[in-house]
Amino acid sequence: MMDVIERVVDADSFFELRPGFGKEIVTGYAHIDGRPVGIVANQPRQRAGAIFPDAAEKAAEFIWKSDAFNIPLLYLCDTPGFMAGSSVEKEGILEKGKKFIYATSSATVPKQSVIVRKAYGAGVYAMSGPAYDPESTIALPSGEIAIMGPEAAINAVYANKLADIDDPEERAEVEQELRQEYREDIDVHRMASEVVIDEIVPPSTLREELERRFEFYETVEKDLPDKKHGTIL
C-alpha cells in the first residue's frame, strides 16, 4: 500500500502518523496537486489488511483529527473486513470498530474512497464505501466489494451441497464454477453498471482522477451537520 500512496501523492509529501501502532492501517498526511489530504489506507502486508482493535482506534482518532482541521480524506481500501474471534473481542474490537465506522460516517470533510482490491464485510463501511455517501467511490479494475471473499462465501453457503458430492474431481469442478460465479457477481464492473460505485479507473490515471475530484469538491458547498467528534478511552 505504501507503493500506491507514493504514486498518487506529490513527491516526498507523505508524512505517516503512528507507523508502529495498528500496522494493519496506514494513516498520514500528504499533498495531492498541492492540496493537503489525510490518508487512511489498509495495509495488506500486515495480516492481509484485516482491521484489528488497535488499527480501528488509530483510524478513528486520525479521521476525527482531520475533520476537526477541515482536511479532506482519501481512503484506500484493501481489507477482508474486521477481525473476528474471542481474542479481539477481549481487546475491544466491537467498541473500537464502532468508533471507526462512526468517525467515517460523521466526518464532514470531502471524502474520496478508492477500492484498490478487496472490500469485504463491514470493512467497506469503515473505509467510506458507498453506504455513507462519500463524494465519490472509485475503483481500480482489481476491486471487489462483497460481504465476504469467494473462498469463505462458497464454504459458508454451499458447504452441504459440496459435501454431498462424493467424486473429488467433480466436487472440485463444481466448487470452481461456484467461485467463478461469485467473483462475477462482486466484480466492480457490475457494481459500476448498477451505479454502486462512480467509476473504474486504471492505476495509471488514478492520481489525475483524484486531483480532479479533490479540486472539484474543494469549492462545493454542502448542507452539513455540525462536526461531532468522539473520544477514545
Side-chain angles (χ1 to χ4, degrees):
M1 188 57 74
M2 296 301 293
D3 289 342
V4 176
I5 293 172
E6 291 296 336
R7 282 163 173 74
V8 299
V9 304
D10 296 354
D12 301 321
S13 71
F14 182 62
F15 179 72
E16 185 177 2
L17 298 184
R18 307 176 77 185
F21 181 75
K23 294 182 179 180
E24 301 83 21
I25 284 184
V26 176
T27 57
Y29 293 107
H31 287 93
I32 294 180
D33 196 27
R35 294 178 177 81
V37 296
I39 296 175
V40 182
N42 304 116
Q43 178 51 283
R45 294 190 66 178
Q46 297 288 334
R47 298 194 277 197
I51 303 171
F52 282 74
D54 287 350
E57 179 182 57
K58 170 182 172 180
E61 287 186 332
F62 179 81
I63 293 164
W64 283 325
K65 183 188 289 97
S66 301
D67 191 52
F69 288 94
N70 292 314
I71 300 174
L73 288 163
L74 169 63
Y75 292 79
L76 299 173
C77 184
D78 186 355
T79 181
F82 286 91
M83 189 62 186
S86 58
S87 61
V88 291
E89 287 177 9
K90 292 176 182 177
E91 296 171 7
I93 186 61
L94 295 177
E95 182 66 22
K96 295 176 181 179
K98 177 180 67 178
K99 289 178 178 178
F100 185 5
I101 293 176
Y102 171 70
T104 290
S105 66
S106 62
T108 62
V109 294
K111 293 172 288 189
Q112 311 287 345
S113 181
V114 179
I115 309 301
V116 176
R117 193 167 53 168
K118 56 190 181 294
Y120 298 156
V124 70
Y125 302 125
M127 295 300 292
S128 195
Y132 288 130
D133 196 25
E135 270 59 37
S136 61
T137 302
I138 59 180
L140 300 184
S142 54
E144 295 178 342
I145 299 177
I147 190 64
M148 62 182 72
E151 294 290 342
I154 298 307
N155 292 334
V157 178
Y158 297 105
N160 292 335
K161 178 178 180 179
L162 293 171
D164 290 338
I165 302 175
D166 296 327
D167 183 4
E169 291 186 4
E170 182 183 355
R171 183 167 60 248
E173 183 178 342
V174 172
E175 185 175 353
Q176 181 61 33
E177 290 175 357
L178 292 171
R179 189 179 297 114
Q180 182 60 34
E181 290 176 5
Y182 186 83
R183 282 201 175 277
E184 292 174 358
D185 190 52
I186 66 176
D187 182 75
V188 288
H189 292 84
R190 188 185 69 81
M191 299 287 179
S193 69
E194 297 178 1
V195 202
V196 175
I197 62 173
D198 297 288
E199 193 165 355
I200 301 172
V201 299
S204 59
T205 63
L206 178 59
R207 174 183 163 85
E208 289 76 12
E209 187 71 27
L210 292 172
E211 286 179 6
R212 290 193 294 269
R213 290 178 182 271
F214 276 116
E215 179 183 12
F216 176 80
Y217 286 107
E218 186 176 40
T219 57
V220 172
E221 295 185 3
K222 295 176 64 177
D223 184 16
L224 297 171
D226 294 335
K227 293 181 184 294
K228 295 181 180 180
H229 300 143
T231 58
I232 298 291
L233 301 178

